[in-house]
Amino acid sequence: MLTYRTAGESHGPTLLALVEGLPAGLVVDTAFINTELARRQGGYGRGARQRIETDQVRILTGVRAGVTLGSPVALEVPNKDSRLDDVEKTPPFTRPRPGHADLAGSLKWLTLDCRGTLERASARETAARVAAGALARVFLREFGIEVFGFVSGAIDATCVMEVDMDTLPELRAARDASDVYCPDPETSSRIIDHIHNAKVEKDTVGGRVEAYVLGVPPGLGTCVQWNERLDSRLAAAVMGIQAFKAVEIGMGADCAWHFGSQVHDPIEYDGSLAGESHLGFTRPTNNAGGLEGGMTNGMPLVVRGTMKPISTLLRGMPSVDLTTHESVQSQHERSDVSAIAAASVVMENVVAFEVAAAFIAKFGGDSMAEVRAHFDATMQMARALHAK
Ligand code: EPS
């Protein structure tokens, strides 16, 4: 079973992820993990913190000479802006921001100072999740599985992208050329305008992000237990990202407005394509987003998430001072105008982690050699079953 937990405060000394359940023998691509960490720091609308930090992973355990041992892998991303114990630099925070964890956390932990809550609630924690997810992607790449995340809209700007193995290199280049990680140049520049205007207005911007997983074999996840369905796991992972308010698979919420005949993807068979992940069972549409009955069907996974605008507004929002109960504007802390580009990197990596976990649940073994043998044998059996 592949799992991870994280620890660390936004302005504490470090962020940690403890990854358990990776097989031995995986060659760890640290440069790739660092590339994902750097991408997470980027994007138009990010705050001054990202100019202080240069996030780099340190692998503390579970790896010998760059190869996993099968023991727990502890990943560390140290904070440069470490000042948690300095009470002058981290003064009490008593005017909670609507939309942030401030008020709910202070009520929960019986305190008038929101700082204890906000330090852990901060999306800085996602650096640890990206490190864990990027490590999982190194595993997935061994089996030809690719993940692609991008921003697909904000406010009134939106785009629809055709993502497949053929378009992937071009889409990655277009996304990486965009300051908001949106591969459609027109939508990208409109989102940038919205973020720019929000900054002038001392406001913030959220948006929509998408992750595609390509080359996924059929049968990951299961229909036999609700919480082991892969769609259930993906939904939890995406809703677990700070500030996410919605998650959709494939056609998602749009299913409500269409008849069954318009929603369900017809099943076709083309034996000449049996070598592909769908084993020849092609679908002219992918409204299911690659998941039926909580299991992968061999089509690409399509996951969409919606992030609300950052809750730290420079102009504040109506709030109440916890010490006086007076009506005040909410307190301002250094923050981002928009972190939607970063959110796309986080989503892509947490989605990858869940796919790797489902892959290991089905094909797992102590070593990469065993996982490989199990995977190859299963795919061979599946193809033999349908060979004419
Ligand atoms: C973040 C670091 C934080 C914020 C942001 C995400 O840095 P600081 O609070 O030191 O300026 O920019 O956190 C939040 C949006 C939040 O609500 O706490 C990061 O590294 O992603």
Side-chain angles (χ1 to χ4, degrees):
M1 199 168 71
L2 183 69
T3 62
Y4 76 111
R5 307 276 285 172
T6 72
E9 280 66 40
S10 185
H11 306 99
T14 206
L15 298 163
L16 297 168
L18 184 67
V19 179
E20 292 189 83
L22 271 180
L26 176 67
V27 178
V28 177
D29 183 349
T30 308
F32 175 71
I33 301 173
N34 285 332
T35 302
E36 290 303 285
L37 287 172
R39 289 209 311 120
R40 194 206 71 90
Q41 287 199 265
Y44 184 71
R46 290 288 258 163
R49 177 72 182 273
Q50 305 312 325
R51 292 197 288 276
I52 301 171
E53 305 293 342
T54 317
D55 292 342
Q56 297 261 298
V57 72
R58 281 184 66 207
I59 299 176
L60 303 178
T61 69
V63 173
R64 178 168 179 254
V67 181
T68 56
L69 295 166
S71 49
V73 180
L75 304 171
E76 178 183 37
V77 182
N79 284 326
K80 286 188 184 149
D81 192 12
S82 169
R83 52 181 156 94
L84 195 58
D85 291 336
D86 185 334
V87 284
E88 273 178 23
K89 289 188 182 153
T90 51
F93 194 108
T94 60
R95 291 178 279 130
R97 296 160 288 182
H100 209 281
D102 302 342
L103 177 63
S106 298
L107 298 175
K108 174 180 173 68
W109 281 292
L110 304 176
T111 170
L112 303 181
D113 182 2
C114 307
R115 184 143 320 264
T117 300
L118 72 86
E119 280 291 339
R120 179 64 183 153
S122 166
R124 173 105 193 112
E125 181 265 349
T126 59
R129 270 193 270 179
V130 166
L135 177 60
R137 281 171 76 178
V138 173
F139 169 84
L140 290 175
R141 284 194 320 207
E142 293 289 317
F143 301 94
I145 300 172
E146 289 289 336
V147 192
F148 177 65
F150 60 97
V151 172
S152 66
I155 312 289
D156 62 357
T158 175
C159 61
V160 178
M161 307 310 297
E162 287 285 325
V163 184
D164 55 43
M165 284 290 193
D166 295 333
T167 57
L168 196 56
E170 202 182 304
L171 285 172
R172 276 210 174 112
R175 176 200 66 188
D176 295 345
S178 158
D179 283 342
V180 285
Y181 302 176
C182 174
D184 179 57
E186 159 81 22
T187 311
S188 171
S189 75
R190 288 177 59 203
I191 296 173
I192 291 168
D193 285 347
H194 283 307
I195 297 173
H196 174 78
N197 294 337
K199 188 174 182 181
V200 172
E201 297 294 327
K202 301 182 177 168
D203 212 329
T204 58
V205 177
R208 195 179 59 199
V209 292
E210 301 191 17
Y212 280 68
V213 192
L214 308 176
V216 194
L220 304 191
T222 177
C223 59
V224 306
Q225 284 299 345
W226 63 272
N227 57 343
E228 291 169 22
R229 296 172 61 107
L230 185 53
D231 44 11
S232 163
R233 308 281 313 168
L234 290 169
V238 174
M239 285 300 281
I241 306 170
Q242 289 82 341
F244 273 59
K245 296 304 269 186
V247 56
E248 295 172 274
I249 307 280
M251 199 177 192
D254 220 19
C255 288
W257 322 118
H258 294 85
F259 292 102
S261 57
Q262 300 167 307
V263 168
H264 302 299
D265 310 306
I267 301 173
E268 296 169 356
Y269 184 73
D270 179 350
S272 72
L273 299 175
E276 298 201 11
S277 55
H278 51 56
L279 307 173
F281 290 94
T282 58
R283 319 295 283 265
T285 54
N286 187 21
N287 293 332
L291 285 158
E292 289 171 310
M295 297 169 283
T296 54
N297 60 11
M299 292 293 283
L301 292 184
V302 184
V303 186
R304 207 172 296 114
T306 302
M307 184 193 201
K308 67 186 179 184
I310 297 278
S311 50
T312 313
L313 274 67
L314 195 53
R315 67 181 182 194
M317 287 280 293
S319 183
V320 167
D321 191 305
L322 296 183
T323 54
T324 63
H325 296 159
E326 273 169 5
S327 293
V328 289
Q329 285 297 94
S330 57
Q331 200 159 323
H332 183 260
E333 281 262 303
R334 181 184 65 199
S335 188
D336 313 302
V337 177
S338 180
I340 191 67
S344 74
V345 182
V346 179
M347 188 166 98
E348 141 172 25
N349 284 291
V350 300
V351 161
F353 196 95
E354 296 310 319
V355 175
F359 191 100
I360 285 174
K362 181 162 170 63
F363 301 115
D366 288 319
S367 64
M368 284 299 282
E370 286 160 271
V371 180
R372 161 74 55 201
H374 193 177
F375 172 69
D376 287 346
T378 305
M379 295 305 278
Q380 210 178 343
M381 281 191 278
R383 289 190 176 110
L385 190 64
H386 296 287
K388 286 272 170 346

